[in-house]
Amino acid sequence: MPPDCPHWAYGDDIGVLPRIFEDDITLAVMERTLPEALRDSVAAQLPPAARLDWHWRGAPGEAMRADLRRHLPAPDRAAALLDDIGTIASALAFLFDTETIGIRLRRLDEAMCPRFHVDNLPVRLVTTYAGPGSEWLPEHAVNRAGLGAPRADKPEIVTDPGAIGRLGAGDLALLKGDGWIGNEGRGLVHRSPQPAPGETRLLLALDPG
């Protein structure tokens, strides 16, 4: 997606993320390529049949890192992943001036939220460490009358399937929801992709405050 379209901002520097505070912006994405050490650390946490669904709410400090380490399948190979999650959580806490971050790290072998939807919270940061990234819709490709619980009489949400955007592995994306003051009815429409057979996603989601 080009960086100059109406309601999203893309860049390869962390300076793009504060653009989420702009009234018109509902998606701010820092594009990044995961370094080899981090890719290896991620892969080590995804052995076949291993479960991973970790939650945390609190300060993004050493207690958080220690708790996450205890829940990882391969804690001895987790250093790079722990460092990355710690850095992201601390940056998010600084950006939104809060000491509390809600964090979830989850392994997914199928789509978690396969239907396009809008979050009712103010904002969420997501990044995919492995597997396909989250999908989103530009406003011109959305029929918001189709959102919410599915019914036979509801129209299709997607008016232009070719316009569906997808985040890349490693991208840091701030998604503005309907709960952001002044953004009611304009939250970013997005969904979890369906992994291919045998494919696994590792998704990190963080909520400030």
Side-chain angles (χ1 to χ4, degrees):
M1 292 290 180
D4 57 349
C5 290
H7 67 90
W8 60 86
Y10 271 67
D12 58 5
D13 183 88
I14 197 170
V16 73
L17 295 181
R19 292 198 60 191
I20 199 67
F21 291 101
E22 297 177 20
D23 290 343
D24 292 339
I25 298 297
T26 58
L27 173 68
V29 181
M30 176 185 165
E31 298 174 293
R32 62 174 189 157
T33 299
L34 298 179
E36 183 178 1
L38 181 52
R39 294 198 306 269
D40 290 345
S41 185
V42 168
Q45 312 311 319
L46 299 174
R51 290 177 57 84
L52 178 54
D53 191 356
W54 172 76
H55 302 258
W56 174 266
R57 184 169 180 80
E62 287 304 315
M64 179 209 75
R65 290 169 60 98
D67 189 73
L68 175 54
R69 181 186 292 274
R70 287 193 296 268
H71 287 81
L72 290 174
D76 57 323
R77 299 180 61 188
L81 180 59
L82 288 168
D83 287 346
D84 196 64
I85 292 175
T87 298
I88 293 169
S90 296
L92 190 66
F94 177 82
L95 181 62
F96 287 94
D97 192 22
T98 180
E99 296 181 357
T100 302
I101 300 290
I103 310 175
R104 185 175 191 180
L105 181 67
R106 187 175 184 187
R107 173 183 177 145
L108 298 165
D109 297 307
E110 58 185 23
M112 181 172 62
C113 300
R115 180 176 169 82
F116 276 110
H117 64 283
V118 172
D119 293 333
N120 289 321
L121 44 72
V123 67
R124 170 169 287 163
L125 187 147
V126 299
T127 189
T128 302
Y129 284 113
S134 300
E135 296 177 344
W136 62 278
L137 287 171
E139 193 60 34
H140 76 267
V142 176
N143 183 349
R144 289 185 178 266
L147 295 172
R151 295 198 313 266
D153 61 337
K154 279 194 171 183
E156 290 290 331
I157 298 170
V158 184
T159 62
D160 180 4
I164 295 173
R166 173 176 283 181
L167 302 174
D171 290 353
L172 303 178
L174 284 169
L175 285 58
K176 190 180 287 183
D178 275 359
W180 185 288
I181 295 174
N183 198 57
E184 299 85 351
R186 293 185 58 247
L188 185 79
V189 179
H190 63 284
R191 70 178 178 188
S192 297
Q194 179 64 52
E199 189 175 38
T200 296
R201 294 183 75 208
L202 185 63
L203 177 68
L204 178 71
L206 304 95
D207 302 331

